[in-house]
Amino acid sequence: MGRRRIRSRIRKSHFYTFKCLRPKTLEDQGPHIITGPGYTRIVHCNQPQMHLAKVLRYTSNYVSTTRYNLITFLPKCLYEQFHRVANFYFLVAAILSVFPLSPFNKWSMIAPLIFVVGLSMGKEALEDWRRFMQDVKVNSRKGSVHRGDGEFGRRKWKKIRVGDVVKVEKDQFFPADLLLLSSSYEDGICYVETMNLDGETNLKVKRCLDVTLPLERDDAFQSFSGTIKCEDPNPNLYTFVGNFEYDGQVYPLDPSQILLRDSKLRNTSYVYGVAIFTGHDTKVMQNSTKSPSKRSRIEKRMDYIIYSLFALLVLVSFISSLGFAVMTRMHMGEWWYLRPDKPERLTNPRNPFHAWVVHLITAVLLYGYLIPISLYVSIELVKVLQATFINQDLHMYDSESGTPAQARTSNLNEELGQVDTILSDKTGTLTCNQMDFLKCSIAGTSYGVRASEVELAAAKQMAMDLDEEQGEDLTDPPRTRGRIHSYSKIPSRSPSDIELETVITATDDRDQTHSTGGVKGFSFEDKRLMDGNWLYEPNSDDILMFMRILAVCHTAIPEVDEDTGKCTYEAESPDEVAFLVAAGEFGFGFSKRTQSSVFINERHSGQPVEIEYKVLNVLDFTSKRKRMSVIVRDEKGQIFLLCKGADSIIFDRLSKNGKTYLEATSKHLNGYGEAGLRTLALSYRKLDENEYSVWNNEFHEAKTSVGADRDEMLEKVSDTMEKDLILVGATAVEDKLQKGVPQCIDKLAQAGLKIWVLTGDKMETAINIGYACSLLRQGMKQISIALKNEEGSSQDPEAAARESISMQILNASQMIKLEKDPHAAFALIIDGKTLTYALEDGLKYQFLALAVDCASVICCRVSPKQKALVTRLAKEGTGKTTLAIGDGANDVGMIQEADIGIGISGVEGMQAVMASDFSIAQFRFLERLLVVHGHWCYKRIAQMICYFFYKNITFGLTLFYFEAFTGFSGQAIYNDSYLLLFNVILTSLPVISLGVFEQDVSSEVCLQFPALYQQGPKNLFFDWYRILGWMGNGVYASVVIFALNIGIFHVQSFCANGQTADMNAMGTAMFTCIIWSVNVQIALTMSHFTWIQHALIWGSIFTWYIFLALFGMLPPKISGNIFHMLLEALAPAPIFWLTTLLVIAATTLPYLAHISFQRSVNPLDHHIIQEIKHFKIDVQDERMWTRERSKARQKTKIGFTARVDAKIRQLRGRLQRKHSILSVMSGMSGTSASASSETTTSTTHHS
């Protein structure tokens, strides 16, 4: 508590010049003009009961993210179910089956429909129930609310009302959009983390109005009242316009006083605020979109196939009914057994039209087996089982958090295998937001021997490539996992090889260090600077200044843990924390801050000495300035300006004598950039007392000025001081990516996926992350689309901005088209303000075309709404599958908008997970989710659907052929029990095993050959060519089955006693052939067998015979015409078994011929891999297997592989230049030697 009280007395506004310090007279310059539409909200502070009036009745603080409620569930869900074509057809069929015209029992149509629709609705209800329970959890959070008479009590979030005064304590979320009234700091400052809103982890500084500063205790609100008039609810996170009426005065409000729901209070003990917007009126909820109903592309295409089958059904029914009408008209008089003298209405030859209409309805029901009603329920079951396998995959289980992967909906499993573009958040998704101080450049010398993650991965890949190139020359090729280290045995090595080995050795040392423990945020290793050894370096004075800049130039606050005594730092950005940790490790520990001073414990060689630096001014960092400076006075009275910032900014401000180390530092910075590190340049300037005094007067005048040009004046005055700097060095910190992120991105890139990063972070941070995970690399041409200030233009600013952006997009597109280098790569970088115009109707498709042509796309400073709009543009504009992945509430919009939404189970709430279709604990698991499970699920579902149509066409058309054979009588050749068994038992389980267990290749091979994933986006297994091929196969099989059975059984006896086959015997034999044919066909389709597939396929056939035998033993009242059909009629007849074998051979012959031809002449990638694995060539020749893996890599321009390829091309170019120079030199020396020899010979001869 003592430490907290000390902190509370600090006036934090002293640390900031540009962010929140408002001149004292600003509140007196007049309120905002609040009139017109969009500005009608009136809030009575501390009087929530006044908002019960109808005019002022605002939305409650209850939030809901569910898709349904008790009233809408039944109608909405039924609409979605019967929106499916097959379900709608069977609804009509079920209604018609009630009438006498139906050839089947009505329950044979109604029961399956109820089962299928009920199962799907139950699944939807379960998924929405989970969302509802998460809403209950959020709405039941409790906050501290003023109850009256200066007393605060706990109240659930959902009961907080507009006008309530709320007290929020450190590390708590804000329950609504609040107006900040006061904080634990003396000047009303508070720190807010908005990661859930915009993805940024940098803390935002908020400050209350001066007039509400006295409201710092609970009892101060006993008589508090005021009125807020402001804008209506809107999704703009960064704007707010309003007025605050208090004590007879009106004060203007701006975004710096607004605390948004779902952001978190940091580094501040408590704040008081009044609720302005609640529930769905809050800005975070305004940015959210309704949870959509998503359907996969395969399911959508399946509707078109159903349409085709329905058209076939109508055509067949029309032909059948027309044939029946013709038969009735032409031949009814000849069929004496139908009593043509007393005809029924159906068989009256005088009214064939009536016969045609009635028979059409009967035929539509009879041929309904062409449309597989069990398809949907089978797919639902298969998808649930696939989702179970995803949930239980241990390779996607995060042991640290104990979080498994979770398929929150099973509707989109196959869609995982068809993704074209990934749209990813940055913070918390790609990065841990943990900075590690790794390297530095001081006085022209680079320090730090550890390699970055980028260097390590690149080195390993280069070593593997080197293995492939040089392995043939080795007498004893390495076959162990540690082959990378074996190159130390190679006798001749180039300098690049030696450098490569050094990098890899650093990997091992680093891993050992991490395994034994270390300092968080400090991965630096170099004995020259540690333990005071820097004193013995040549430029120790410059090193001393470098360390002091690290320790002093910041706005952080130290906090000492009372239990452990360790010091931690609370800063606006993790970069500052990394600098302070590094300074402490170097012997310059930042220990204390007061209102006007910072204290550093400097340890040079002996005991640490506390040194005080008086902070005179702080020129804080902004994205526009790209630098930060402090002006301090040391204990000797000297005044220094210490400055750190982007190298491009600092280098332009150096004095002539401050460029001593410029060339060397620039070289080091380029190297750090290639290694994916974030860099800052450090500099200083010594000031005279008079010079500082004059400048400080100007600065104070600008700081206290009133007007729109105040910020511009401050920047100009700051610029006059931040010049003539002396460069000391540069820092290189590594933004720690989440484990496995670079490798995952590389594999996804090799799989042919495009990756876009959408982040609320500033451009510099996003670009650095782009380098860290190899979305960007040195040599990649960056296209930056930005708004340009047209100060002298007379054109409308909006029109000028649109024209400027349009020209930039057009020029960039032209540049890409004219590029002739096949290895050239382009990256598109755009910020949120520019994106506002780029997403307008007139420009968005030009912008999309440019983005698609670029290897990587990074959108910075984007709002949640813009994330969703970019996702929608990519989805609708390209027509390809998009996947969005994020971890915060700010990602919910794009997660819901994308075809597939992936939520990461982060530490900052579960909003993204609850809105997602799939959730994982780490970004790296996305690789396995897509490349393995996505690939498998796509192929399984595609093959399953194609097979379903094949078997139903095979079965359904035999009914039509027999009806035509019997004069279109409407007679079914099969017993009713056969019809029920066909889809429910005899053919359903094998196809489910195909959808659940089929694997064309193993998971290890999927990861080794990520290019196999492209079979999904290219839709190789569910295009119309393959679908029609399977349908054609079904038509062929039906013809063969019917023709052979009729030809064999119809014209001769089939028993030894001369008995001929009746309709039931022929129907049973034909049905037996169908069961055998379709089950053998699915066995031939499978690539991967387990005992389960064998049991289900052959068990289904065996079940048919068991059923036929047992059913035939039942009394004739039950078994009817099937009585003893198998045991007495068919089984003893050899022709029955021979016909079955003949039909199996004839129906499978086309598929065997097709697959044999394809594997021999035009094999697919997985065919080759299957043969290599089957003949164990990968074990016999490991080097060939590695070479095939390298060949199979998808050519990509992003990821480690692309970065390594670029590096290798660079090294080879250098070697070629060296060889050419050596060749020229050797040629010159040869010519010289030849000339010398000729001269000597000539002289000798002359003598």
Side-chain angles (χ1 to χ4, degrees), residues 817-835:
K817 288 179 182 177
L818 296 174
E819 179 60 55
K820 296 181 179 179
D821 182 6
H823 301 297
F826 296 87
L828 175 62
I829 301 168
I830 187 169
D831 64 17
K833 288 184 179 179
T834 311
L835 199 58

Side-chain angles (χ1 to χ4, degrees), residues 764-819:
E764 297 80 13
T765 306
I767 290 174
N768 285 326
I769 292 302
Y771 278 107
C773 56
S774 295
L775 289 173
L776 302 176
R777 67 173 190 271
Q778 296 297 114
M780 181 180 275
K781 299 176 181 178
Q782 294 184 13
I783 300 171
S784 182
I785 308 295
L787 289 173
K788 296 180 179 179
N789 294 326
E790 306 287 345
E791 294 181 359
S793 175
S794 59
Q795 192 177 359
D796 175 47
E798 297 280 326
R802 291 186 185 91
E803 185 178 347
S804 171
I805 294 168
S806 178
M807 287 302 300
Q808 292 180 62
I809 293 174
L810 183 64
N811 293 337
S813 300
Q814 281 296 116
M815 181 175 66
I816 294 175
K817 288 179 182 177
L818 296 174
E819 179 60 55

Side-chain angles (χ1 to χ4, degrees), residues 590-860:
F590 168 50
S591 60
K592 188 170 65 172
R593 179 186 290 277
T594 65
Q595 188 65 49
S596 60
S597 301
V598 294
F599 294 84
I600 311 298
N601 289 326
E602 294 191 4
R603 184 179 65 253
H604 294 188
S605 56
Q607 293 296 319
V609 177
E610 186 176 76
I611 297 180
E612 178 183 3
Y613 293 88
K614 292 190 177 294
V615 180
L616 305 178
N617 302 93
V618 178
L619 310 179
D620 48 300
F621 182 93
T622 67
S623 56
K624 184 178 180 181
R625 283 167 39 80
K626 297 183 181 179
R627 63 188 182 278
M628 175 200 175
S629 301
V630 295
I631 301 176
V632 297
R633 189 191 301 273
D634 65 11
E635 292 183 338
K636 298 178 182 178
Q638 302 178 101
I639 302 176
F640 290 93
L641 178 137
L642 310 179
C643 183
K644 64 184 180 187
D647 51 21
S648 57
I649 300 296
I650 300 298
F651 290 172
D652 290 342
R653 298 173 180 278
L654 298 177
S655 64
K656 290 184 179 180
N657 63 343
K659 299 180 180 179
T660 307
Y661 309 121
L662 179 60
E663 184 177 350
T665 304
S666 297
K667 183 179 179 181
H668 296 155
L669 286 171
N670 289 334
Y672 298 156
E674 288 182 358
L677 303 177
R678 301 172 57 154
T679 59
L680 284 179
L682 272 58
S683 60
Y684 75 97
R685 178 186 176 195
K686 190 174 181 180
L687 305 176
D688 294 329
E689 190 73 43
N690 292 335
E691 179 187 8
Y692 170 73
S693 180
V694 171
W695 176 86
N696 192 39
N697 290 334
E698 295 178 2
F699 184 73
H700 183 73
E701 183 180 342
K703 192 166 62 172
T704 56
S705 65
V706 176
D709 59 346
R710 172 179 172 272
D711 288 343
E712 186 178 344
M713 292 175 60
L714 277 170
E715 286 193 26
K716 286 183 179 179
V717 175
S718 300
D719 284 347
T720 61
M721 177 57 70
E722 292 170 323
K723 64 180 184 179
D724 297 333
L725 303 175
I726 298 173
L727 180 65
V728 179
T731 60
V733 298
E734 186 174 30
D735 190 348
K736 296 295 291 182
L737 298 172
Q738 286 196 10
K739 183 180 178 182
V741 164
Q743 293 81 1
C744 176
I745 287 178
D746 189 45
K747 280 287 175 65
L748 295 175
Q750 289 181 44
L753 296 169
K754 304 180 185 71
I755 302 174
W756 296 9
V757 175
L758 311 179
T759 177
D761 239 331
K762 55 182 180 289
M763 186 174 290
E764 297 80 13
T765 306
I767 290 174
N768 285 326
I769 292 302
Y771 278 107
C773 56
S774 295
L775 289 173
L776 302 176
R777 67 173 190 271
Q778 296 297 114
M780 181 180 275
K781 299 176 181 178
Q782 294 184 13
I783 300 171
S784 182
I785 308 295
L787 289 173
K788 296 180 179 179
N789 294 326
E790 306 287 345
E791 294 181 359
S793 175
S794 59
Q795 192 177 359
D796 175 47
E798 297 280 326
R802 291 186 185 91
E803 185 178 347
S804 171
I805 294 168
S806 178
M807 287 302 300
Q808 292 180 62
I809 293 174
L810 183 64
N811 293 337
S813 300
Q814 281 296 116
M815 181 175 66
I816 294 175
K817 288 179 182 177
L818 296 174
E819 179 60 55
K820 296 181 179 179
D821 182 6
H823 301 297
F826 296 87
L828 175 62
I829 301 168
I830 187 169
D831 64 17
K833 288 184 179 179
T834 311
L835 199 58
T836 303
Y837 296 98
L839 291 175
E840 292 179 352
D841 289 339
L843 288 175
K844 63 181 181 181
Y845 290 112
Q846 298 177 37
F847 167 70
L848 177 64
L850 174 61
V852 169
D853 288 338
C854 292
S856 60
V857 178
I858 298 177
C859 301
C860 320

Side-chain angles (χ1 to χ4, degrees), residues 37 61 406 1176:
N61 206 35
Q406 184 182 12
K1176 298 184 178 180

Side-chain angles (χ1 to χ4, degrees), residues 529-599:
L529 294 186
M530 303 302 293
D531 301 324
N533 292 332
W534 60 270
L535 289 166
Y536 307 108
E537 288 292 294
N539 298 293
S540 57
D541 290 343
D542 292 320
I543 296 176
L544 176 63
M545 181 56 70
F546 180 91
M547 303 299 183
R548 286 177 171 169
I549 295 174
L550 284 184
V552 175
C553 188
H554 57 81
T555 59
I557 300 174
E559 285 198 345
V560 179
D561 191 303
E562 297 174 353
D563 297 327
T564 63
K566 290 185 178 179
C567 186
T568 58
Y569 304 102
E570 293 188 345
E572 282 191 80
S573 71
D575 302 69
E576 283 195 348
V577 175
F579 292 150
L580 291 173
V581 170
E585 292 298 311
F586 291 139
F588 293 78
F590 168 50
S591 60
K592 188 170 65 172
R593 179 186 290 277
T594 65
Q595 188 65 49
S596 60
S597 301
V598 294
F599 294 84

Side-chain angles (χ1 to χ4, degrees), residues 477-479 483 1005 1008-1009 1169-1186 1188-1189:
R479 293 183 180 271
R483 80 177 70 174
V1005 172
Q1008 291 171 345
F1009 292 83
I1169 296 171
Q1170 285 172 352
E1171 291 185 22
I1172 291 174
K1173 282 288 186 180
H1174 177 74
F1175 294 107
K1176 298 184 178 180
I1177 301 175
D1178 57 315
V1179 178
Q1180 298 168 9
D1181 190 352
E1182 184 183 348
R1183 197 167 298 283
M1184 183 279 295
W1185 179 249
T1186 305
E1188 288 297 322
R1189 285 172 53 190

